[in-house]
């Protein structure tokens, strides 16, 4: 148990990013994520709004509970009570720690926009935080607390995204795009300020850190303005692409029904 939780440092060598151990582990998590989302989403497709929302409530409690446990354990493990400064919910994936509860507990346009935000970014976060997490799998063994808790919480985000889609909870109203962009921009600004103040790399706005963002970082030569601006631009392009695909698919479905 000491080895799994990393007390005293991990004794095992990391298997490495994109090793068969890494790919097998994250693929198993992704498959469970998809199967649960499809099963619960389709089961609740025609259920009352309260029944649909109950799944999101439990999802919000689970992801925030696990994240709080992680922060407490990491602070205890490091012996530094200020370690929480480096575990703030300021990564793209960890925005879901706030967005999922907003989707579960808010009402009106804020709920609609939060549902859309989770729907758009949850699945992206799940894939980037599992298959793309080079910074984790190069640093820790695959079956370690750091990687297991990260994989599970990222897949909870992906589950929420797919569940919202399959249960029919997303609205994708164009007039809610402004709120979605405001949520994203607010977190980007907060992350950048935190990075400057504590010399960290939230939202990967300062460097790629072994993730696919390294491609952009190398492309612009690590430019201190072009790189973070490029990361935010990628977010905007992803949102635009997601909306385009969503409307194309729903338009074809509507045409097929008619």
């Amino acid at each position: 148990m000491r080895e799994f939780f990393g007390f005293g440092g991990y004794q095992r060598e990391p298997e490495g990013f994109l090793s068969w151990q890494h790919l097998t582990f994250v693929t198993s998590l992704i498959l469970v994520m998809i199967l649960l989302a499809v099963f619960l989403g389709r089961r609740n497709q025609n259920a009352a709004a309260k029944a649909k929302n109950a799944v999101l409530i439990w999802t919000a409690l689970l992801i925030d509970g696990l994240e709080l446990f992680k922060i407490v354990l990491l602070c205890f493990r490091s012996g530094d009570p200020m370690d929480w400064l480096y575990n703030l919910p300021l990564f793209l994936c960890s925005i879901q720690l706030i967005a999922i509860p907003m989707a579960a507990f808010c009402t009106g346009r804020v709920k609609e926009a939060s549902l859309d935000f989770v729907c758009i970014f949850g699945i992206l976060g799940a894939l980037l935080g599992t298959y793309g997490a080079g910074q984790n799998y190069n640093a820790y063994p695959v079956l370690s607390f750091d990687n297991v808790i990260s994989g599970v919480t990222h897949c909870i985000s992906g589950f929420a995204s797919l569940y919202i889609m399959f249960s029919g909870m997303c609205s994708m109203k164009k007039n809610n795009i402004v709120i979605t962009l405001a949520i994203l921009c607010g977190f980007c600004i907060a992350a950048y300020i935190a990075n400057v103040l504590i010399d960290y790399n939230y939202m990967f706005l300062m460097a790629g850190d072994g993730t696919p963002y390294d491609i952009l970082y190398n492309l612009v030569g690590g430019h201190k303005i072009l790189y973070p601006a490029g990361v935010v631009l990628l977010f905007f392009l992803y949102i635009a692409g997601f909306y385009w695909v969503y409307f194309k698919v729903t338009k074809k479905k509507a045409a097929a029904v008619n």
Side-chain angles (χ1 to χ4, degrees):
M1 293 299 289
R2 287 180 62 86
E3 171 64 14
F4 175 77
F5 286 106
F7 288 103
Y10 293 111
Q11 303 304 309
R12 293 166 292 151
E13 288 291 324
E15 293 85 353
F17 178 53
L18 298 182
S19 64
W20 71 265
Q21 295 94 332
H22 167 212
L23 295 176
T24 301
F25 174 64
V26 299
T27 299
S28 300
L29 289 178
I30 292 291
L31 286 175
V32 172
M33 173 194 87
I34 293 172
L35 289 173
L36 280 175
V38 172
F39 171 71
L40 292 173
R42 290 179 68 87
R43 190 189 70 175
N44 289 344
Q45 202 167 37
N46 299 314
K50 187 176 180 180
K52 289 183 180 182
N53 200 58
V55 174
L56 275 186
I57 290 174
W58 282 107
T59 304
L61 294 174
L62 182 61
I63 192 172
D64 280 12
L66 287 173
E67 189 68 15
L68 182 60
F69 172 68
K70 183 192 84 172
I71 292 171
V72 171
L73 187 137
L74 291 182
C75 289
F76 181 73
R77 191 176 74 181
S78 69
D80 183 1
M82 298 305 290
D83 203 44
W84 62 270
L85 285 171
Y86 304 99
N87 289 282
L88 295 171
L90 290 175
F91 284 108
L92 179 64
C93 310
S94 52
I95 296 177
Q96 304 299 338
L97 298 168
I98 297 169
I100 294 175
M102 286 174 63
F105 295 106
C106 291
T107 58
R109 279 191 66 190
V110 174
K111 183 180 186 69
E112 287 182 348
S114 299
L115 285 167
D116 291 350
F117 187 91
V118 174
C119 186
I120 293 168
F121 282 105
I123 191 66
L124 176 66
L127 294 175
L128 289 178
T130 53
Y131 288 108
Q135 78 284 8
N136 275 7
Y137 289 95
N138 278 331
Y140 313 116
V142 170
L143 294 181
S144 63
F145 176 77
D146 293 77
N147 281 331
V148 170
I149 198 74
S150 174
V152 170
T153 52
H154 281 89
C155 283
I156 291 174
S157 296
F159 163 81
S161 174
L162 293 175
Y163 173 77
I164 289 168
M165 278 191 263
F166 281 103
S167 64
M169 295 183 76
C170 58
S171 63
M172 290 296 173
K173 292 180 181 177
K174 293 179 181 178
N175 59 349
N176 286 335
I177 294 178
V178 174
I179 300 177
T180 300
L181 292 176
I183 294 172
L184 177 63
C185 290
F187 275 96
C188 286
I189 292 169
Y192 191 82
I193 292 172
N195 288 338
V196 172
L197 292 178
I198 65 174
D199 188 26
Y200 204 53
N201 191 25
Y202 284 120
M203 298 281 277
F204 298 104
L205 291 174
M206 313 307 274
D209 259 356
T211 68
Y213 289 114
D214 273 334
I215 298 171
L216 174 63
Y217 187 83
N218 294 330
L219 191 65
V220 299
H223 195 281
K224 291 185 178 180
I225 296 176
L226 290 179
Y227 172 71
V231 171
V232 176
L233 178 60
L234 286 175
F235 295 154
F236 289 171
L237 291 174
Y238 173 74
I239 292 174
F242 192 97
Y243 269 93
W244 182 81
V245 172
Y246 178 85
F247 288 125
K248 280 286 185 182
V249 171
T250 52
K251 189 176 179 180
K252 284 185 178 180
K253 281 186 178 180
V257 171
N258 295 330

